[in-house]
Amino acid sequence: MSQEAVDERPLRCLVTGATGYVGGRLVPELLAKGHAVRCLARSPGKLRDHSWAGRAEVVRGDVTDEDSVRAAMEGVDVAYYLVHALGTGSGFEETDRRAARAFGECARAAGIRRIVYLGGLTPAGVPERELSPHLRSRAEVGRILLESGVPTAVLRAAVIIGSGSASFEMLRYLTERLPLMVTPGWVRTRTQPIAIRDVLRLLVGCARLPFEVNRTFDIGGPDVLTYQDMMQRYAAVAGLPKRVIVGVPVLTPGLSSLWVGLITPVPGAIARPLVESLRHEVVCAERDIERYVPSPPDGLLGLDQALRLALKRIREADVATRRPSAAAPGAPSDPLPTDPEWAGGSLYTDHRERAVGASPEALWRVVEGIGGENGWYSLPLAWALRGWLDTLMGGVGMRRGRRDAARLRVGDHLDFWRVEEIEPQRLLRLRAEMRLPGQAWLEMTVDRSPAGGTVYRQHALFHPHGLAGHAYWWSVFPFHAVVFGGMARNIAAKAEATNPAGAG
């Protein structure tokens, strides 16, 4: 088949690693270009909540299982290799080596026209044996695929900026939680970060590279800076005070990974190899990819713009689960259902649930009538004090009350809250407008239990902003049982008092 014929028709793409950070974001980008997509996943069920789940074929398999790889490659034009064994233990290099060889052999036998692999940017002039195990394995996988006999494009990236990227999450947590840092020498190592949007654009573009292209490409954004610089830029974009960073030469990569593990929720098995890699300067030695996949008219995203996209507020419509709706695909920087629990920053929650001996309609009347003259059903003095403190700090306090004594609508003010979402007879979500070192929501839902009774669920959520946000949450946490526990208990009691028999 001619190159022109391939270019004119949609391609059939196999994506491995679709449950991972990059793969899960690549699939909708390929679909948007009109390509057919098949995903190879060890746990296909993990992909069912993605917005694209009904438009892509999902097959069960593993890159270490040649039979499943061979079957998944039938009828495929382009195979994306987006998996690695990082975090699986000390033997990950051998696992990566074996999987890459099997993948290349199966691709050649299946007549795959191109392999596209996303690896790690390696420092120029450093022998492969001197690289960290993580970078060394990435480089070896790229070499194996290039030697497979199938035209291969190996994209080599340093830090990828986007919510959910392990490197970015390390940056996020370290910067937000530590206004003063005693850091190892690697924070002064230069790197060239790239936005996830640009990574995906290049991955999609590589599907149509000329057949004769079989090589590596360095990819990076327009900014070259140190990890320390990135932390300061993150702080500025996030609205945090400038960080005080003191470098010391005595922290080894092993000690550094323990330090990162203590401060951040990124698992140590992932953090350690990433930290070890940070001792190498990783800056693009060439930009040849531009000849084949030109940059967009507005250019590559700079670090500040990429950070702003990655730091977009958690979607209000999905704040209770921290997972975006499957019906609402978002931008590449948005969270995905398959992102790990530690991705996306901290979100503290207080959950209460009670069976209520009243009809759902009676319970909803109490929920919709909350606030204003009706109060908040727990410790009136505490709520009044919180409102007074907010007023003292320049906030709205409790003086706004509510527009209507019985009915609420989206956008209504409700004391120092704002109605963000309302589903009549079922859900009320409020967003705090008081002065807080973070963002807060209060969500109340009315549901029927499987046995036919009524259930009241209440979520208080807080997304902290910097160390002050974390300190605030833990300072008020001891009072939650009284304030939020009392609220749930008294709302249920009020509904039962007005509808003791549970009649509608």
Side-chain angles (χ1 to χ4, degrees):
M1 181 176 293
S2 68
Q3 177 69 44
E4 290 75 14
V6 171
D7 286 345
E8 289 174 356
R9 64 172 175 82
L11 301 173
R12 295 160 297 182
C13 302
L14 173 67
V15 176
T16 62
T19 58
Y21 173 67
V22 175
R25 289 160 172 82
L26 175 63
V27 172
E29 299 294 317
L30 292 169
L31 291 170
K33 292 294 185 181
H35 302 312
V37 178
R38 178 182 296 156
C39 302
L40 179 70
R42 283 180 295 179
S43 304
K46 291 183 178 180
L47 300 176
R48 66 177 179 270
D49 292 330
H50 282 267
S51 61
W52 45 261
R55 297 185 293 139
E57 180 186 359
V58 179
V59 297
R60 185 182 301 275
D62 190 300
V63 292
T64 60
D65 176 6
E66 291 190 42
D67 290 338
S68 65
V69 172
R70 191 176 298 110
M73 286 183 171
E74 291 182 6
V76 167
D77 299 305
V78 180
Y80 285 91
Y81 194 77
L82 303 175
V83 295
H84 55 85
L86 182 66
T88 60
S90 58
F92 75 89
E93 288 184 83
E94 174 56 31
T95 301
D96 275 340
R97 183 181 304 119
R98 180 163 43 88
R101 285 175 179 161
F103 193 84
E105 291 170 1
C106 290
R108 185 175 65 251
I112 299 292
R113 287 176 162 76
R114 173 156 303 280
I115 294 173
V116 182
Y117 168 59
L118 179 62
L121 188 58
T122 55
V126 177
E128 193 172 298
R129 65 180 180 279
E130 295 180 13
L131 298 176
S132 69
H134 168 233
L135 285 182
R136 186 169 61 237
S137 180
R138 292 294 189 94
E140 183 182 21
V141 167
R143 189 174 62 254
I144 291 171
L145 295 175
L146 287 168
E147 296 171 354
S148 66
V150 177
T152 297
V154 175
L155 302 186
R156 307 194 305 174
V159 176
I160 297 177
I161 302 297
S163 181
S165 160
S167 297
F168 171 77
E169 295 299 338
M170 281 173 46
L171 174 71
R172 180 207 299 268
Y173 285 111
L174 289 174
T175 308
E176 289 193 348
R177 296 184 175 186
L178 296 176
L180 169 63
M181 287 177 260
V182 178
T183 60
W186 52 254
V187 299
R188 293 183 292 275
T189 302
R190 293 198 313 157
T191 188
Q192 191 166 354
I194 183 170
I196 181 61
R197 188 195 75 171
D198 288 321
V199 173
L200 297 175
R201 180 181 55 80
L202 292 170
L203 286 170
V204 172
C206 282
R208 296 197 184 276
L209 289 176
F211 291 141
E212 65 271 14
V213 175
N214 186 63
R215 55 163 294 183
T216 64
F217 293 97
D218 292 353
I219 63 172
D223 300 307
V224 176
L225 64 176
T226 66
Y227 206 81
Q228 177 173 316
D229 293 333
M230 284 200 295
M231 286 192 259
Q232 297 292 15
R233 297 270 283 273
Y234 180 101
V237 170
L240 299 169
K242 185 175 181 179
R243 284 10 215 165
V244 178
I245 300 174
V246 180
V248 294
V250 295
L251 285 177
T252 65
L255 290 175
S256 296
S257 64
L258 293 176
W259 170 66
V260 170
L262 179 66
I263 301 301
T264 82
V266 179
I270 295 175
R272 182 181 177 91
L274 291 178
V275 167
E276 289 175 341
S277 300
L278 292 173
R279 71 175 188 264
H280 301 296
E281 179 173 289
V282 282
V283 176
C284 293
E286 44 82 12
R287 301 300 296 263
D288 295 348
I289 191 65
E290 294 275 354
R291 289 161 38 197
Y292 303 98
V293 189
S295 295
D298 55 348
L300 301 174
L301 285 182
L303 178 62
D304 289 355
Q305 190 176 0
L307 288 171
R308 289 189 189 97
L309 290 173
L311 290 175
K312 284 196 309 183
R313 188 177 66 187
I314 296 171
R315 292 185 183 184
E316 295 89 344
D318 305 291
V319 67
T321 60
R322 287 189 75 191
R323 290 295 181 259
S325 168
S333 53
D334 287 343
L336 290 184
T338 46
D339 285 348
E341 289 298 322
W342 43 264
S346 301
L347 184 68
Y348 293 118
T349 64
D350 181 280
H351 174 69
R352 309 284 165 171
E353 182 173 320
R354 295 186 68 86
V356 182
S359 69
E361 293 78 13
L363 178 57
W364 176 254
R365 285 194 291 270
V366 178
V367 169
E368 192 176 12
I370 200 167
E373 294 297 324
N374 295 327
W376 293 87
Y377 294 99
S378 68
L379 294 181
L381 181 60
W383 285 92
L385 178 61
R386 185 63 184 87
W388 177 80
L389 289 173
D390 189 57
T391 303
L392 190 65
M393 296 170 63
V396 297
M398 298 282 280
R399 60 180 180 269
R400 297 189 304 187
R402 51 182 293 157
R403 176 190 57 84
D404 184 285
R407 297 287 181 265
L408 291 173
R409 63 189 181 195
V410 173
D412 278 359
H413 55 70
L414 188 58
D415 296 327
F416 46 46
W417 301 89
R418 178 77 62 179
V419 178
E420 185 172 86
E421 184 66 30
I422 187 166
E423 296 179 20
Q425 306 299 317
R426 182 184 175 273
L427 177 143
L428 174 65
R429 181 181 300 114
L430 309 175
R431 184 182 71 248
E433 292 189 337
M434 66 192 83
R435 298 281 185 169
L436 288 170
Q439 296 168 312
W441 296 265
L442 179 61
E443 183 176 88
M444 293 163 274
T445 59
V446 176
D447 290 310
R448 290 187 182 274
S449 69
T454 303
V455 179
Y456 172 69
R457 295 184 175 91
Q458 177 181 292
H459 287 84
L461 305 106
F462 183 65
H463 185 45
H465 186 60
L467 184 62
H470 294 278
Y472 171 82
W473 172 264
W474 291 112
S475 69
V476 300
F477 182 76
F479 305 103
H480 285 184
V482 176
V483 175
F484 293 125
M487 178 188 296
R489 185 169 56 252
N490 293 332
I491 285 175
K494 175 72 172 178
E496 291 168 347
T498 58
N499 182 219

